[in-house]
Amino acid sequence: MAAVDLEKLRMSGAGKAIGVLTSGGDAQGMNAAVRAVTRMGIYVGAKVFLIYEGYEGLVEGGENIRQADWLSVSNIIQLGGTIIGSARCKAFTTRAGRLAAAYNLVQRGITNLCVIGGDGSLTGANIFRSEWGSLLEELVGAGKISEGTAQTYSHLNIAGLVGSIDNDFCGTDMTIGTDSALHRIMEVIDAITTTAQSHQRTFVLEVMGRHCGYLALVSALASGADWLFIPEAPPEDGWENFMCERLGETRSRGSRLNIVIIAEGAIDRQGQPISSRYVKDLVVQRLGFDTRVTVLGHVQRGGTPSAFDRILSSKMGMEAVMALLDATPDTPACVVSLSGNQSVRLPLMECVQVTKEVQKAMDEKRFEEAIQLRGRSFENNWNIYKLLAHQKLSKEKTSFSLAILNVGAPAAGMNAAVRSAVRIGISHGHTVYVVHDGFEGLAKGQVQEVGWHDVAGWLGRGGSMLGTKRTLPKAYLENIVENVRNYNIHALLVIGGFEAYEGVLQLVEGRGRYEELCIVMGVIPATISNNVPGTDFSLGSDTAVNAAMESCDRIKQSASGTKRRVFIVETMGGYCGYLATVTGIAVGADAAYVFEDPFNIQELKANVEHMTEKMKTDIQRGLVLRWGCRGAWSGLEEGSAWAPGGFHDAGCVSGPPEGSHAERAGRRSPRGLGLGRNEKCHDHYTTDFLYHLYSSEGRGVFDCRTNVLGHLQQGGAPTPFDRNYGTKLGVKAMLWMSEKLQAVYRNGRVFANGPDSACVIGLRKKAVAFSPVTELKKDTDFEHRMPREQWWLKLRLMLKMLAHYRISMDDYVSGELEHVTRRTLSIDKGF
């Protein structure tokens, strides 16, 4: 959509009313969606009404439908569940109930409805929309509304957001709450693993997913479970024998535990239920293993939303408002969805129809078709799980040897990538080596051949099991070449950050001097800074964002209980502002200022003056985040330091002084305003400087504290996303390298010197991309160690809009309408 059209759309919000409700089962992230819809609606000039208790509140009306203001949704982004309540309503399934609901909406002038719920809730909304005209006619006939009123509100627009932890709605990559539910499941599995190892037990874990096995499948992939039951792929007849044989083999190889994951809707080939109790009794009777059942139940719905769910919900909530404003009487009810990292609009009933076809296929025992209808991502997950769960013996041994190493700072997910790459390499018949301590270890000959079971248990481990160093190969090139020759290495897989990319580039440039370096090379980006060219996402960045987010949540809570205090929090991120921006969105930041947006003393002066003046009023707390060592800083909402948009919880929407550098930068920069300071850009505006500045200027009004999060962002267990992302990248990388080795094998030797023989393997928009390092060189800012173009800068507009900045809509990227068919479901949209 053109920018000018978006500006007109924004102005068209004036005089319109939007209602938002949550319905069906609750899901983490619903509050973030409610917040985004509310604030975006107010931002475009519309009235926004919160409808409490779902469709029940819509039918009953009264105090259940309340107009919201900016503060109505303050400090809720971190809360699980839904603050406006959700209830299953039988009355709304009747014509009389929908008639009452229509009357309640018309009384308030609401003709735009945003429904956050599952397929049942969204289907009900579509029925309501289709009956709207006849419902108004009936109200006119009953004398409840006038003909003029009926004409004024003659059309109801519907926008849906799918809130379901099951991820069972076809057409969308991820539904609200799914990622958070996976977090809860993995927390339980990690905890159970320790006790299972201690007592040599088998655990049967039952997870939610009545008719959809997504949660079970992804958690099995992320945990390396020994056996998996999902409704879309019932086990073959005689599975009891196969499963017990598999579990017994695992124990005989020295494992002290077994993990079996079962979806609550699991069935056999005849459609009969398979219960966790039956599986447990089977293992006890046939193998005699000490076995326990754990049913996770509603714990999967609870807890705080993950960073992904907060950002997903915020993005989809904003797009839902734009879809409602853009709707016409001929526009079908739509679902706002995620495709890759872009918002899209999908016809609601197309999605519902395909979702029903999945269940129909399972009912008719067309299970392979059911998996395909779930989408290519689901199918990929299933195939990769089968590849890695049990050792596959290669029919013949190849002559190829491959080495895997970690380079740079440790990042969560590295071990998952190593594990999957090792196992795929072995299953293809290759000799697989691992190298300890990065390029330095390769130079020193710290090379070790590994087998399938040597990487067992690595999935959930943080850091780097191989050890990693930042050393680049240039200093050890001759020694590296010697060991490549000694171990007859034909391919090198380097997993790491910017140093990994730069190191492989140096090895490629050394091919002219050393023929031994004419081998296949791949880079899997793994760094919390997300600053490697050739990929939208790096391994470890999701875990780091969640770690920083959890710390900020605690700091916000602390600030809420303290009178007149400002917190300055320092985090990592390097020159790249991804970590700052994304965490800022996830914690409801007022701003996240990064290296890309410079600032000066005038902005600092305005900032401190605003903080001091506002702290003299009813504001009791302030939070300022400084993103660095080498980072930038931001003010969090609910009483933050001034940023464009002002102190929003005080109802202030003032910006920087007209004509100031800050105001001019906000007008001209598509990347937004920069008020923060990166230590690499300036020698003086450090965290200590900010602390002393705020402390001095705020003396007698507020006090100040600092928090440095430091390396906790690099530690901890990987998130489900990083475990699965690492697993899939490891598989994709090894499959690519195997193909390349076959292609460059000539006359009994490997000779690879083409640009496409050394690539970064990453996720670009919707699919895995293999980008030659030599071609990425021109797109790299080596001084600041990051790509010249970064997609996530568009997210900064979302952060500012939700914080009520006075900014142009010129750079808002509106979702396009896409259709849902079997063909579109078969497209690989990445992870």
Side-chain angles (χ1 to χ4, degrees):
M1 184 180 292
V4 63
D5 293 334
L6 283 168
E7 282 296 340
K8 290 179 180 177
L9 197 59
R10 179 183 173 187
M11 298 303 294
S12 71
K16 293 191 175 181
I18 300 171
V20 56
L21 64 86
T22 54
S23 177
D26 64 304
Q28 307 97 318
M30 281 184 166
N31 286 325
V34 169
R35 171 182 178 268
V37 171
T38 301
R39 292 195 165 180
M40 188 62 182
I42 294 171
Y43 182 86
V44 299
K47 293 180 180 179
V48 180
F49 291 84
L50 301 180
I51 301 170
Y52 289 79
E53 311 307 334
Y55 285 121
E56 186 176 295
L58 190 60
V59 172
E60 293 181 357
E63 284 299 303
N64 289 309
I65 305 176
R66 308 175 206 165
Q67 186 172 349
D69 59 23
W70 197 265
L71 298 183
S72 300
V73 290
S74 286
N75 206 31
I76 68 169
I77 194 171
Q78 75 277 13
L79 301 178
T82 164
I83 64 160
I84 59 176
S86 179
R88 304 187 189 276
C89 180
K90 288 186 178 180
F92 191 75
T93 63
T94 67
R95 172 84 178 181
R98 294 192 290 275
L99 187 69
Y103 177 73
N104 289 328
L105 291 182
V106 169
Q107 287 294 97
R108 295 162 177 82
I110 301 172
T111 55
N112 298 281
L113 194 60
C114 179
V115 178
I116 307 167
D119 59 342
S121 301
L122 299 179
T123 302
N126 189 65
I127 293 171
F128 188 39
R129 174 182 177 274
S130 65
E131 292 181 349
W132 183 258
S134 63
L135 291 172
L136 294 194
E137 289 178 6
E138 194 170 332
L139 289 172
V140 171
K144 290 190 173 183
I145 62 173
S146 66
E147 287 278 2
T149 300
Q151 291 178 2
T152 302
Y153 305 118
S154 60
H155 179 68
L156 178 67
N157 300 316
I158 297 289
L161 302 181
V162 188
S164 168
I165 67 169
D166 294 337
N167 201 30
D168 57 352
F169 197 78
C170 291
T172 182
D173 290 358
M174 289 282 276
T175 56
I176 294 170
T178 302
D179 188 64
S180 300
L182 287 170
H183 275 250
R184 300 296 92 77
I185 294 170
M186 294 314 304
E187 288 165 7
V188 172
I189 292 176
D190 287 348
I192 278 177
T193 298
T194 59
T195 184
Q197 286 176 331
S198 300
H199 297 277
Q200 298 191 61
R201 282 178 177 152
T202 295
F203 270 88
V204 181
L205 277 76
E206 182 180 310
V207 302
M208 283 185 168
R210 185 179 50 196
H211 300 300
C212 179
Y214 184 87
L215 290 179
L217 173 56
V218 176
S219 56
L221 191 59
S223 63
D226 298 293
W227 198 269
L228 168 67
F229 296 93
I230 57 174
E232 294 87 349
E236 298 291 339
D237 293 339
W239 63 266
E240 293 92 342
N241 296 329
F242 298 137
M243 185 190 73
C244 291
E245 183 181 344
R246 173 83 58 83
L247 300 183
E249 285 179 6
T250 304
R251 289 294 183 94
S252 66
R253 291 191 299 263
S255 176
R256 294 178 59 86
L257 79 159
N258 299 114
I259 298 292
V260 177
I261 295 179
I262 180 169
E264 63 180 350
I267 55 175
D268 63 18
R269 287 276 163 178
Q270 284 67 49
Q272 297 303 307
I274 298 175
S275 69
S276 53
R277 179 62 57 184
Y278 176 74
V279 174
K280 181 246 185 185
D281 292 342
L282 185 69
V283 174
V284 171
Q285 291 166 11
R286 296 202 182 183
L287 297 173
F289 292 167
D290 185 2
T291 306
R292 299 286 190 274
V293 172
T294 298
V295 180
L296 270 64
H298 283 75
V299 71
Q300 294 159 91
R301 292 191 186 277
T304 186
S306 67
F308 178 86
D309 271 328
R310 300 186 195 190
I311 296 161
L312 171 70
S313 302
S314 298
K315 192 168 186 175
M316 290 168 64
M318 287 176 53
E319 181 62 27
V321 172
M322 301 305 288
L324 288 171
L325 296 184
D326 195 31
T328 67
D330 298 324
T331 304
C334 76
V335 171
V336 176
S337 177
L338 181 71
S339 178
N341 54 25
Q342 299 296 323
S343 297
V344 295
R345 303 173 189 177
L346 307 172
L348 169 59
M349 293 317 294
E350 286 184 14
C351 297
V352 171
Q353 183 59 39
V354 177
T355 302
K356 289 180 178 179
E357 285 183 19
V358 178
Q359 186 59 49
K360 183 180 178 183
M362 289 193 288
D363 292 341
E364 296 175 356
K365 300 181 175 57
R366 294 180 282 116
F367 298 113
E368 288 186 10
E369 186 178 347
I371 289 178
Q372 293 169 359
L373 287 169
R374 285 288 183 212
R376 188 64 180 273
S377 179
F378 188 98
E379 188 177 3
N380 282 343
N381 284 334
W382 175 238
N383 291 333
I384 291 174
Y385 171 76
K386 290 188 293 183
L387 271 177
L388 299 175
H390 188 59
Q391 183 171 1
K392 312 294 187 300
L393 295 176
S394 176
K395 293 180 180 178
E396 58 182 30
K397 186 78 173 174
T398 72
S399 59
F400 300 131
S401 299
L402 303 91
I404 303 169
L405 63 156
N406 294 158
V407 173
M414 279 181 163
N415 298 321
V418 172
R419 170 186 174 269
S420 63
V422 165
R423 292 190 167 183
I424 294 298
I426 291 172
S427 69
H428 278 66
H430 307 321
T431 298
V432 181
Y433 296 106
V434 292
V435 181
H436 299 274
D437 297 335
F439 288 121
E440 187 175 327
L442 183 57
K444 294 178 179 178
Q446 296 173 211
V447 181
Q448 171 191 352
E449 185 176 352
V450 289
W452 183 280
H453 304 294
D454 292 327
V455 291
W458 283 31
L459 258 174
R461 301 288 291 273
S464 168
M465 299 291 287
L466 298 180
T468 179
K469 290 191 175 182
R470 295 178 182 272
T471 313
L472 293 174
K474 202 171 183 179
Y476 304 94
L477 208 53
E478 291 187 0
N479 292 333
I480 288 174
V481 169
E482 181 182 352
N483 283 315
V484 168
R485 182 172 56 249
N486 290 342
Y487 288 94
N488 197 27
I489 295 171
H490 303 110
L492 201 62
L493 179 59
V494 186
I495 303 167
F498 196 85
E499 294 88 350
Y501 159 69
E502 195 172 4
V504 168
L505 194 55
Q506 289 181 6
L507 293 179
V508 170
E509 291 170 349
R511 284 174 170 175
R513 295 169 53 200
Y514 303 101
E515 190 175 299
E516 291 85 350
L517 296 179
C518 293
I519 59 177
V520 177
M521 296 183 233
V523 178
I524 293 180
T527 168
I528 69 170
S529 300
N530 198 30
N531 63 335
V532 179
T535 186
D536 291 347
F537 298 100
S538 295
L539 269 178
S541 58
D542 184 66
T543 303
V545 168
N546 277 277
M549 177 198 74
E550 290 166 7
S551 297
C552 290
D553 283 348
R554 292 184 176 94
I555 289 166
K556 284 178 67 175
Q557 192 174 42
S558 172
S560 298
T562 307
K563 289 189 176 182
R564 293 185 171 85
R565 174 167 292 173
V566 174
F567 283 83
I568 298 175
V569 181
E570 180 177 296
T571 77
M572 288 180 164
Y575 281 108
C576 180
Y578 174 84
L579 187 59
T581 298
V582 175
T583 308
I585 296 169
V587 298
D590 211 12
Y593 299 108
V594 295
F595 167 77
E596 289 84 352
D597 291 330
F599 72 102
N600 59 27
I601 193 63
Q602 280 75 28
E603 276 80 18
L604 275 180
K605 181 174 181 291
N607 197 359
V608 174
E609 287 174 353
H610 263 77
M611 176 65 84
T612 304
E613 289 303 312
K614 293 299 178 180
M615 279 293 189
K616 291 177 181 177
T617 63
D618 292 335
I619 292 178
Q620 302 294 305
R621 60 201 180 276
L623 287 152
V624 175
L625 270 72
R626 187 184 188 287
W627 302 94
C629 82
R630 300 180 302 170
W633 59 279
S634 71
L636 291 174
E637 71 175 355
E638 281 79 63
S640 61
W642 174 84
F647 286 85
H648 303 303
D649 66 347
C652 174
V653 293
S654 62
E658 187 173 352
S660 69
H661 171 82
E663 194 267 344
R664 293 194 306 272
R667 287 201 308 260
R668 70 170 182 260
S669 173
R671 296 181 178 180
L673 174 65
L675 193 63
R677 165 59 173 79
N678 182 292
E679 285 185 354
K680 288 288 185 178
C681 302
H682 204 287
D683 295 332
H684 306 295
Y685 298 157
T686 62
T687 300
D688 284 342
F689 174 85
L690 292 174
Y691 166 72
H692 290 299
L693 178 66
Y694 274 82
S695 296
S696 176
E697 295 299 318
R699 185 174 293 124
V701 180
F702 61 84
D703 64 357
C704 192
R705 296 289 187 273
T706 60
N707 288 270
V708 179
L709 303 183
H711 285 76
L712 70 83
Q713 295 155 94
Q714 286 183 351
T719 59
F721 177 88
D722 277 329
R723 298 184 198 204
N724 289 332
Y725 189 32
T727 297
K728 292 178 180 179
L729 284 184
V731 170
K732 294 281 188 181
M734 193 56 70
L735 292 176
W736 171 80
M737 295 178 94
S738 295
E739 291 177 4
K740 280 294 174 189
L741 286 170
Q742 294 288 348
V744 300
Y745 185 70
R746 296 286 185 276
N747 302 318
R749 61 191 289 259
V750 169
F751 186 79
N753 65 348
D756 63 347
S757 63
C759 291
V760 171
I761 299 105
L763 192 63
R764 303 293 291 268
K765 293 185 178 178
K766 295 183 180 181
V768 175
F770 301 87
S771 307
V773 293
T774 51
E775 294 181 10
L776 291 173
K777 187 176 180 180
K778 66 180 183 299
D779 301 322
T780 305
D781 178 354
F782 284 95
E783 180 184 356
H784 300 111
R785 296 163 51 85
M786 62 184 180
R788 297 187 188 278
E789 298 293 330
Q790 301 181 88
W791 70 271
W792 55 264
L793 287 169
K794 295 176 182 177
L795 295 178
R796 296 179 60 75
L797 182 66
M798 176 169 69
L799 186 152
K800 295 182 179 185
M801 291 168 79
L802 288 175
H804 217 175
Y805 298 173
R806 296 181 306 188
I807 58 173
S808 170
M809 300 281 283
D810 289 354
D811 300 305
Y812 182 83
V813 180
S814 183
E816 299 292 334
L817 181 66
E818 295 184 2
H819 291 280
V820 182
T821 64
R822 293 192 178 213
R823 188 190 67 81
T824 61
L825 290 172
S826 68
I827 297 173
D828 191 346
K829 296 183 179 179
F831 310 138

